[in-house]
């Protein structure tokens, strides 16, 4: 399993999936020869007030306070907002709403002028983390499909693996403690030295020759 990636990079496949998502934006100013971005545009220009869908990878290249577009809060976060207020997020199937619920929201947070998305993803994870810990300890055989997003799924796998290692340690079933290589080498040298001393003492006790018997 690859390391969990909380700050996706250019070569991350997961980051590519997230940034391909379309985001609804409102046009704030007239944009000449940009009408091709709106399938319903009747002119070559984009007029103020029109609503278009732009990929996240394009939006993230714009300045947060740009004068061209206003990013709208996606419906998936509006749907979760009520559950967050009622502290009932554990029953929500985040994976069905969006497989990258937290990463997608993290990208959109700087563009949310009402500061709604940041609070939603923070409160959602805060409320679900205890539940995530519980199912990692109890549901070791099966993963709850569609209930977890990508990050939660990785945390669940890590929790199950860690809990299994902890149980094995308690039961001493995985006890394979070994001495370090330095200690082992030191013991070998000491044994060789002791063996050499014993052989030297044995040679000293043995007479170098026998006396000739006399008639």
């Amino acid at each position: 399993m690859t390391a969990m990636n909380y700050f996706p990079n250019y070569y991350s496949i997961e980051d590519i999936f997230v940034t391909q998502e379309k985001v609804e934006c409102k046009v704030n100013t007239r944009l000449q020869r940009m009408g091709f971005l709106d399938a319903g545009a009747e002119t070559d220009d984009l007029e103020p007030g029109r609503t278009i869908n732009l990929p996240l990878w394009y939006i993230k290249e714009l300045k947060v306070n740009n004068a061209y577009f206003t990013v709208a809060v996606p419906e998936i976060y509006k749907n979760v907002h009520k559950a967050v207020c009622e502290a009932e997020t554990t029953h929500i199937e985040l994976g069905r709403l969006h497989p990258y619920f937290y990463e997608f929201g993290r990208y959109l947070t700087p563009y949310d002028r009402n500061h709604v998305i940041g609070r939603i993803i923070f409160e959602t994870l805060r409320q679900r983390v205890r539940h995530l810990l519980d199912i990692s300890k109890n549901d070791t055989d099966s993963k709850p499909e569609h209930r977890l997003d990508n990050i939660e799924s990785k945390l669940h796998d890590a929790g199950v693996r860690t809990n299994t290692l902890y149980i094995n340690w308690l039961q001493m079933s995985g006890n394979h403690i070994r001495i370090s290589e330095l200690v082992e080498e030191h013991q070998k040298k000491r044994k060789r030295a002791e063996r050499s001393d014993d052989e030297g003492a044995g040679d000293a006790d043995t007479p170098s020759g026998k006396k000739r018997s006399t008639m």
Side-chain angles (χ1 to χ4, degrees), residues 111-166:
Y111 302 91
D112 177 20
R113 299 180 180 181
N114 296 321
H115 308 291
V116 174
I117 299 178
R119 292 197 302 268
I120 290 176
I121 60 178
F122 173 79
E123 286 296 328
T124 300
L125 183 58
R126 187 184 66 82
Q127 293 177 18
R128 288 169 66 92
V129 68
R130 173 58 62 179
H131 175 68
L132 189 62
L133 178 61
D134 292 339
I135 63 176
S136 297
K137 289 182 178 180
N138 301 323
D139 301 337
T140 57
D141 296 330
S142 61
K143 183 186 299 185
E145 297 294 336
H146 305 301
R147 291 182 58 187
L148 309 179
D149 95 315
N150 181 62
I151 286 181
E152 289 182 339
S153 179
K154 289 184 177 182
L155 290 174
H156 176 271
D157 292 340
V160 170
R161 186 168 60 254
T162 302
N163 188 59
T164 301
L165 293 174
Y166 177 65

Side-chain angles (χ1 to χ4, degrees), residues 7 17 36 41 59 86 112 114 135 137 149 163 171 198 202:
F7 297 91
F17 288 152
F36 65 91
I59 294 175
E86 297 175 353
D112 177 20
N114 296 321
I135 63 176
K137 289 182 178 180
D149 95 315
N163 188 59
Q171 297 174 349
D198 292 341

Side-chain angles (χ1 to χ4, degrees), residues 66-84:
N66 71 89
Y68 309 112
F69 304 105
T70 298
V71 177
V73 177
E75 289 296 326
I76 58 173
Y77 298 103
K78 294 180 180 179
N79 296 335
V80 175
H81 186 256
K82 181 180 179 180
V84 168

Side-chain angles (χ1 to χ4, degrees), residues 19-67:
T19 54
Q20 288 292 330
E21 291 287 336
K22 296 292 185 66
V23 182
E24 184 178 293
C25 301
K26 181 181 178 180
V27 181
N28 296 329
T29 185
R30 185 180 182 183
L31 301 175
Q32 296 182 355
R33 299 185 181 277
M34 297 291 286
F36 65 91
L37 293 175
D38 184 5
E42 298 178 354
T43 63
D44 293 337
D45 302 334
L46 268 181
E47 299 296 334
R50 300 288 296 184
T51 300
I52 60 175
N53 293 320
L54 296 175
L56 181 57
W57 60 261
Y58 177 79
I59 294 175
K60 62 191 288 286
E61 297 301 324
L62 300 174
K63 293 182 179 180
V64 174
N65 296 321
N66 71 89

